[in-house]
Amino acid sequence: TILFLLEPEAASVHVMKEVPQLNLTKGDKCLVVDCGGGTVDATFVEMTSEGKLKTSRFPDAINAGSTFIDDLFIKFIRKEMNEY
């Protein structure tokens, strides 16, 4: 069987398995924020009565990942160096 997951859903599953202190039970909800290189994705995860994870995402990813932060930092440094 091949299962395809989007990156935010995969991050959610990983967090649920690797952070046992969350101890989610039926109806519990959790917000997982995946800060990647290009985007920041948010996924809401809910534990169903069957003990499965139900995910829902924000409609769009935010273009605020680390590459954008790097670019803004470089622009800031260049500006500061030119004014020095």
Side-chain angles (χ1 to χ4, degrees), residues 28 30 43-48 52-56:
D28 286 347
C30 184
T43 305
F44 285 104
V45 180
E46 180 179 356
M47 183 64 72
T48 67
K52 296 183 179 182
L53 297 176
K54 175 183 171 186
T55 61
S56 59

Side-chain angles (χ1 to χ4, degrees), residues 6-72:
L6 297 175
E7 187 177 10
E9 284 80 6
S12 299
V13 170
H14 176 75
V15 168
M16 297 308 137
K17 289 187 177 190
E18 296 299 321
V19 186
Q21 60 268 30
L22 286 177
N23 196 26
L24 294 180
T25 59
K26 176 186 169 186
D28 286 347
K29 296 177 184 174
C30 184
L31 173 65
V32 177
V33 180
D34 176 16
C35 302
T39 61
V40 175
D41 300 294
T43 305
F44 285 104
V45 180
E46 180 179 356
M47 183 64 72
T48 67
S49 57
E50 296 85 27
K52 296 183 179 182
L53 297 176
K54 175 183 171 186
T55 61
S56 59
R57 294 183 54 202
F58 287 126
D60 294 311
I62 301 167
N63 289 328
S66 62
T67 56
F68 292 97
I69 295 169
D70 292 347
D71 291 343
L72 290 174

